[in-house]
Each structure stands twice: as structure tokens, then as C-alpha cells.
Amino acid sequence: MSSRDDNDDQNSSVQLGFSVSYEDEEHRCLVAHRTPLWKEWDGGQIGGRPSWLQPRDLPRSFLECKTCQRPLVFICQLYAPADEVNPNAFHRSLYVFACTNNQQSCTDPASSIRVLRTQLPEENPFYPMEEEEENWSQHKPESWNVNLCKVCGQRGNGRCPIQQECFCGKHHQKEYKRYVRDKELHTSFLPSVYAESELVVEEDPASSNDNADAAAHPHQGLFSDDTNDEEDADLEQEDLNTITGAVTSKASNDQATSEFYARTRLPNVQDQCLRYLRWPSSNLAASDNIMPLWIRSDHQPDKIPCCEYCGADRDFEFQIMPQMIHYLMQDHSKRAQTQEETEGAKQAIAQAASIIDQASAEQVPPDFAEAQEKAVAAMRSRMMEEEEEGLNWGVVAVYTCTASCGDGLDIEDDIEMGAYREEYAWKQPSLD
């Protein structure tokens, strides 16, 4: 986000993150830390599998929700150097993971989103000091004998003897077996892996004087009246209302909601996925910016805990917008495959029920009727499970250590999280 070459004006301005589809595989290989050419790094990645900055000392086990203990899914990562406060943060990346459990039993706003931070000094064993190094591979986990889970990209803790792939746990071993139909993983739908795209960063036009007047009128529509590209926009008003759970009365009566819509309705920024402004409380030049930009006045944190590693204060760094869900869920073709399978199962169950209804009791084998009842129960359970699963948030605000402590290299053997330190995230619910 804020690169080491940014000037003071840029560091005090809000940066917006947008989803950009890959042009081809070459484009994808240049995103995040897949390339050792670190001068090319900028922005980050949405969805897919994490690209680890420190590839050797990954967390020992897959990340779980602190409330319901379900495995978390990867949401996004961003590259945000902070060597101005710690030379060991010359390279610095943050990773966001979320729980997909939408049941009432998993509503703790500080437990269902987890954020990891890692960083490295300029001189480190993983990336070359000079980019002219040829055949460099030390940035890859396999160079350090680290296996990654074939499904989620976290540390693989065992190899399946049947599938001959590494997995982080039994849940992904079973998922891979169930959903992968061929040898090319990227052609198969996996529920735990969301659509991948590049996270590209630009300055918020509302930070400039030209748009200050527009941002000051929160009761105007999401799109300005003088634009002609509403039909071409990636996200229409109806789309954003659906994502945020917006209700007209709430939008008009809650000042925070009105301000949220004012800041996200400007031309060319309505599909923003992320807002970034590191540590505004300690940056006088950034004091005029409202950060985080909450979607509602309630469900806000009372106090942000200090860093449990060094004791320094934590301050806001970035927030994930509801629009990111739209892009994470974009891969409709893969989901259509599952929907077709579900419809086929429904038709088969209906045909079996029709046979049972039309035939006499003597003509229906007991095993046939029992199998039909089990199929109905399994289908009902599956449909209920799908309703209870999914990504859902209004705003996710992330607060990080203002000392950016750690160096990412000196790791004790008994550290469960390896070179990765956990930061604080607060999930504000949507408006519905």
C-alpha cells in the first residue's frame, strides 16, 4: 500500500484498493510474492491462496475461527512496507482470513476474522538484494522443504497416500477428493477457495479538493447524476444494496451509513474493495480523514487492545469493504457445476418419490424406500448447510502494531505461528 517511495501527501491520503482480473498466467505470476523481483511488488491479492512473504516459517496448523473452531478461508493479502518505523519491516505483508459460519453462535466481531502480519529486513535469505540474480528460487516454500495444502495453500501437515497430495487437515483432504474432477486444480471448484484477482491501489479521489464538495453531500445517490456509465459499472446501486444489506430507512436515519454511501458513491470508486490509511491517529496530516469508514453507528469497538508481542499501541491501518465479497464470489461457472449436480439430485429424488407414490406397497422394495428417505434427509441437510455458510460483513477494520515489531527471521522452534504475528480485526455486521 504505502510504498517507501511515497511522499508525505500520499501517506496522509486514503488509498483505495480495486479488484483487477488477471490478463493471463504471466500477469498472475507477477502478483504478490510469486516473483522474487520485490521492486515489482505493489498492492496485493484478493482470493485464491496466500502467497507467503516468509516461506520457511509458516504457521504450524491451519487457522481456525476463535469462536466456532471452523477452518478459516483466505480473503486477501497486501504488501505494506513500514521500514520508516522498523528497518526489519523493509518487506511487510498482511493476510486476512475469515470464518464462513453465519449461524448465531458465531457472531463475535473480534474472533471470526483473523489477520496475520510478517516482515523481513532488506537483507534476508528469501529475496535477492540485487534483482539481477538468475534462477532464484529461495522465495518458494518448497525450497525450504515446506509443503503447502493443495486446497488452501497453508502449511501441509501430511500427504494423502491415495491422492498423493499434501493437505493441512482431513477437512481439505475430503474436500479435494469430493470436488476435484481432473488433474488441473484451477479448473475445478473448491468451496474453500474464492475467485482470485489482483488488488490494485489508487488514491481516493475524495481526498482531493475537486471532489471535496461531492463527498460532503451524503444524501445524494450512490452514482452521480451527470455520469453516463451506470450501466457499465461493475457494481450497480442494487448490487451494493444487496452486498451491504442496505435498508432505505437505515441509510437515511443513520449518519454513519449516510457518510459511508457518500464516500463510496463517487464516480469510479463505487467498486472499491479496500480503504487504506496507516495509523491516522499518529499522523496529523491524515487527521481530516474519517477512518475507519463505518457502515453503521452501532457495533463499533470500544477499545483496541495493545500489541500482545511488544506492548505498543495498535492503530487503524486498513478496512475491507463489502464490495470485496462481490469479487470473491465472481466465479459463477464453477458454482454452476455444483448447482447442476444439486438439481440433478433433486430430480432423481423426485422421480424416486413418484415411483413410490404410484406403486403399491408390495411393489416397492424396502431398501428402495429407505434409500429415498436417506437421500431426502441428506439433500435437506446439504441445503441447510449452504444457507448457513458464506461470507458476510459490513466492514472489516484492521488495527496493527504501531511499532511493527518483529523481524521475521529469529523464530523460536516452539512458536505456533512461526514468523507470523497476529493483529486485531473487528467485523462490523451488514445492515440487514
Side-chain angles (χ1 to χ4, degrees), residues 61-67 69-72 111 114 154:
S61 59
F62 58 87
L63 295 179
E64 295 180 334
C65 174
K66 292 183 177 180
T67 298
Q69 284 71 55
R70 292 193 183 188
L72 302 181
S111 299
R114 296 179 67 177
Q154 298 183 59

Side-chain angles (χ1 to χ4, degrees), residues 152-223:
C152 68
Q154 298 183 59
R155 181 186 287 274
N157 289 316
R159 182 179 297 273
C160 174
I162 297 176
Q163 302 183 78
Q164 290 298 306
E165 300 288 357
C166 292
F167 299 100
C168 62
K170 289 184 177 180
H171 58 294
H172 282 167
Q173 180 185 17
K174 293 177 180 178
E175 180 176 323
Y176 189 81
K177 182 179 180 181
R178 176 180 179 183
Y179 287 94
V180 173
R181 306 304 185 201
D182 51 55
K183 295 182 180 179
E184 296 296 330
L185 181 61
H186 64 273
T187 66
S188 302
F189 165 57
L190 288 165
S192 297
V193 182
Y194 288 86
E196 183 180 330
S197 59
E198 182 180 8
L199 180 64
V200 175
V201 181
E202 300 176 3
E203 184 175 349
D204 182 5
S207 300
S208 68
N209 292 330
D210 293 339
N211 291 290
D213 181 67
H217 295 84
H219 296 292
Q220 294 182 7
L222 183 66
F223 302 107

